[in-house]
Coordinates of all heavy atoms in Angstrom, one line a residue:
G17 N 86.7 80.2 85.5 CA 85.8 80.5 84.4 C 84.5 81.3 84.8 O 83.7 81.8 84.1
A18 N 84.3 81.4 86.2 CA 83.1 82.0 86.6 C 83.4 83.5 86.9 O 84.6 83.9 87.0 CB 82.6 81.4 88.0
S19 N 82.4 84.3 87.2 CA 82.6 85.7 87.6 C 81.7 86.0 88.8 O 80.9 85.2 89.2 CB 82.2 86.7 86.4 OG 80.8 86.5 86.1
L20 N 82.0 87.1 89.5 CA 81.3 87.5 90.6 C 80.7 88.9 90.4 O 81.5 89.8 90.1 CB 82.2 87.5 91.9 CG 81.6 87.9 93.2 CD1 80.5 87.0 93.7 CD2 82.7 88.1 94.3
I21 N 79.5 89.0 90.3 CA 78.7 90.2 90.0 C 79.3 90.9 88.8 O 79.6 92.1 88.7 CB 78.6 91.2 91.2 CG1 79.9 91.6 91.8 CG2 77.7 90.7 92.2 CD1 79.9 92.8 92.7
G22 N 79.6 90.0 87.8 CA 80.1 90.5 86.5 C 81.6 90.8 86.5 O 82.1 91.3 85.4
V23 N 82.3 90.5 87.5 CA 83.8 90.7 87.5 C 84.5 89.5 87.5 O 84.2 88.5 88.2 CB 84.1 91.5 88.8 CG1 85.6 91.6 89.0 CG2 83.4 92.8 89.0
D24 N 85.5 89.4 86.5 CA 86.4 88.3 86.4 C 87.4 88.5 87.5 O 88.4 89.1 87.3 CB 87.0 88.2 85.1 CG 87.9 87.0 84.9 OD1 88.4 86.4 85.8 OD2 88.2 86.7 83.7
T25 N 87.2 87.8 88.7 CA 88.1 88.1 89.8 C 89.5 87.6 89.6 O 90.5 88.1 90.1 CB 87.5 87.5 91.1 OG1 87.3 86.1 90.9 CG2 86.2 88.2 91.5
Q26 N 89.7 86.5 88.8 CA 91.0 86.0 88.5 C 91.7 87.0 87.6 O 92.9 87.3 87.9 CB 90.8 84.7 87.7 CG 92.2 84.1 87.3 CD 93.1 83.6 88.4 OE1 92.6 83.1 89.4 NE2 94.4 83.8 88.2
A27 N 91.1 87.6 86.6 CA 91.7 88.6 85.8 C 92.1 89.9 86.6 O 93.1 90.5 86.5 CB 90.8 89.0 84.6
S28 N 91.2 90.2 87.6 CA 91.5 91.3 88.4 C 92.7 91.1 89.2 O 93.6 92.0 89.4 CB 90.2 91.6 89.3 OG 90.5 92.7 90.2
L29 N 92.8 90.0 89.9 CA 94.0 89.6 90.7 C 95.2 89.7 89.9 O 96.2 90.3 90.3 CB 93.8 88.2 91.3 CG 95.1 87.7 92.0 CD1 95.5 88.5 93.2 CD2 94.8 86.2 92.5
E30 N 95.2 89.1 88.7 CA 96.4 89.2 87.9 C 96.8 90.6 87.4 O 97.9 90.9 87.4 CB 96.2 88.3 86.6 CG 96.1 86.8 86.9 CD 95.7 86.0 85.7 OE1 95.6 86.5 84.5 OE2 95.3 84.8 85.9
A31 N 95.8 91.4 87.2 CA 96.0 92.8 86.8 C 96.7 93.5 88.0 O 97.6 94.4 87.8 CB 94.7 93.5 86.4
V32 N 96.2 93.3 89.2 CA 96.6 94.0 90.4 C 98.2 93.5 90.6 O 99.0 94.4 90.9 CB 95.9 93.6 91.6 CG1 96.6 93.9 92.9 CG2 94.5 94.3 91.6
L33 N 98.4 92.2 90.5 CA 99.8 91.7 90.7 C 100.7 92.3 89.6 O 101.8 92.7 89.9 CB 99.8 90.2 90.7 CG 99.2 89.6 91.9 CD1 99.0 88.1 91.7 CD2 100.0 89.9 93.2
R34 N 100.3 92.3 88.4 CA 101.1 92.9 87.2 C 101.4 94.3 87.6 O 102.6 94.7 87.4 CB 100.3 92.6 85.9 CG 101.1 92.8 84.7 CD 100.4 92.4 83.4 NE 99.0 92.3 83.5 CZ 98.3 91.1 83.6 NH1 99.0 90.0 83.8 NH2 97.0 91.1 83.6
Q35 N 100.5 95.1 87.9 CA 100.7 96.5 88.2 C 101.7 96.7 89.3 O 102.6 97.4 89.3 CB 99.4 97.3 88.5 CG 99.6 98.7 88.8 CD 100.2 99.5 87.7 OE1 99.9 99.3 86.5 NE2 101.1 100.5 88.0
A36 N 101.4 95.9 90.4 CA 102.3 96.1 91.7 C 103.7 95.7 91.3 O 104.6 96.3 91.7 CB 101.6 95.2 92.8
M37 N 103.9 94.6 90.6 CA 105.2 94.1 90.3 C 106.0 95.1 89.3 O 107.2 95.1 89.4 CB 105.2 92.7 89.7 CG 104.7 91.6 90.6 SD 105.5 91.5 92.1 CE 104.4 90.6 93.1
S38 N 105.2 95.8 88.5 CA 105.9 96.8 87.7 C 106.4 98.0 88.5 O 107.2 98.8 88.0 CB 104.9 97.3 86.6 OG 104.0 98.2 87.1
E39 N 105.9 98.2 89.7 CA 106.2 99.3 90.5 C 107.4 99.0 91.5 O 108.3 99.8 91.8 CB 105.1 99.8 91.3 CG 104.0 100.5 90.3 CD 102.8 101.0 91.1 OE1 103.0 101.3 92.3 OE2 101.7 101.1 90.4
A40 N 107.4 97.7 92.0 CA 108.4 97.3 93.0 C 108.3 95.8 93.2 O 107.2 95.3 93.2 CB 108.2 98.0 94.3
I41 N 109.5 95.2 93.4 CA 109.5 93.8 93.7 C 109.4 93.6 95.3 O 110.3 94.2 96.0 CB 110.8 93.1 93.2 CG1 110.9 93.3 91.7 CG2 110.8 91.6 93.5 CD1 109.8 92.8 90.9
P42 N 108.3 93.0 95.7 CA 108.2 92.9 97.1 C 109.1 91.9 97.8 O 109.5 90.9 97.2 CB 106.7 92.4 97.3 CG 106.5 91.6 96.1 CD 107.3 92.3 95.0
D43 N 109.5 92.2 99.1 CA 110.2 91.3 99.9 C 109.3 90.3 100.6 O 109.7 89.2 101.0 CB 111.0 92.1 100.9 CG 112.1 93.0 100.3 OD1 112.9 92.4 99.6 OD2 112.1 94.1 100.5
A44 N 108.0 90.7 100.7 CA 107.0 89.8 101.3 C 105.7 90.3 100.7 O 105.5 91.4 100.3 CB 107.0 89.9 102.8
I45 N 104.7 89.3 100.8 CA 103.4 89.6 100.4 C 102.4 89.2 101.5 O 102.5 88.1 102.0 CB 103.0 88.9 99.1 CG1 104.0 89.2 97.9 CG2 101.5 89.1 98.6 CD1 103.8 88.3 96.7
I46 N 101.4 90.1 101.7 CA 100.4 89.8 102.7 C 99.1 89.8 101.9 O 98.7 90.7 101.2 CB 100.3 90.9 103.8 CG1 101.6 91.0 104.6 CG2 99.1 90.7 104.7 CD1 101.7 92.1 105.5
A47 N 98.4 88.6 102.1 CA 97.1 88.5 101.4 C 96.0 88.5 102.6 O 96.0 87.7 103.4 CB 97.0 87.2 100.6
S48 N 95.2 89.5 102.6 CA 94.2 89.7 103.7 C 92.8 89.7 103.1 O 92.6 89.8 101.9 CB 94.5 90.9 104.5 OG 94.4 92.1 103.7
G49 N 91.9 89.8 104.0 CA 90.5 89.8 103.5 C 90.1 88.4 103.0 O 90.7 87.4 103.3
D50 N 89.1 88.4 102.1 CA 88.6 87.2 101.5 C 89.3 86.8 100.3 O 89.2 87.5 99.3 CB 87.1 87.4 101.2 CG 86.2 87.6 102.4 OD1 86.3 86.9 103.4 OD2 85.3 88.5 102.3
I51 N 90.2 85.8 100.4 CA 91.0 85.3 99.3 C 90.0 84.7 98.3 O 90.1 84.9 97.1 CB 92.1 84.4 99.7 CG1 93.1 85.2 100.5 CG2 92.7 83.7 98.5 CD1 94.1 84.3 101.2
S52 N 89.1 83.9 98.8 CA 88.2 83.1 98.0 C 86.7 83.4 98.3 O 86.4 83.6 99.5 CB 88.5 81.6 98.2 OG 87.6 80.9 97.5
H53 N 85.9 83.5 97.3 CA 84.5 83.6 97.5 C 83.9 82.3 97.4 O 82.8 82.0 98.1 CB 83.9 84.5 96.4 CG 82.5 85.0 96.7 ND1 82.3 86.0 97.6 CD2 81.3 84.6 96.2 CE1 81.0 86.3 97.6 NE2 80.3 85.3 96.9
D54 N 84.5 81.3 96.7 CA 84.1 79.9 96.7 C 85.2 79.2 97.4 O 86.2 78.8 96.9 CB 84.0 79.4 95.3 CG 82.9 80.0 94.5 OD1 81.9 80.4 95.2 OD2 83.0 80.2 93.3
P55 N 85.1 78.9 98.8 CA 86.1 78.4 99.6 C 86.5 76.9 99.3 O 86.0 76.0 100.1 CB 85.7 78.6 101.0 CG 84.2 78.6 100.9 CD 83.9 79.2 99.6
T56 N 87.0 76.6 98.1 CA 87.4 75.2 97.8 C 88.9 75.1 97.6 O 89.6 76.1 97.4 CB 86.7 74.8 96.4 OG1 87.2 75.6 95.4 CG2 85.2 74.9 96.5
G57 N 89.4 73.9 97.8 CA 90.8 73.7 97.6 C 91.4 74.2 96.2 O 92.4 74.7 96.1

Side-chain angles (χ1 to χ4, degrees):
S19 64
L20 179 63
I21 58 170
V23 175
D24 181 341
T25 57
Q26 178 68 33
S28 178
L29 172 60
E30 291 172 12
V32 165
L33 290 169
R34 195 170 16 264
Q35 179 63 40
M37 298 301 161
S38 76
E39 295 180 21
I41 302 301
D43 296 302
I45 300 171
I46 298 172
S48 60
D50 298 314
I51 292 171
S52 174
H53 196 76
D54 294 331
T56 65

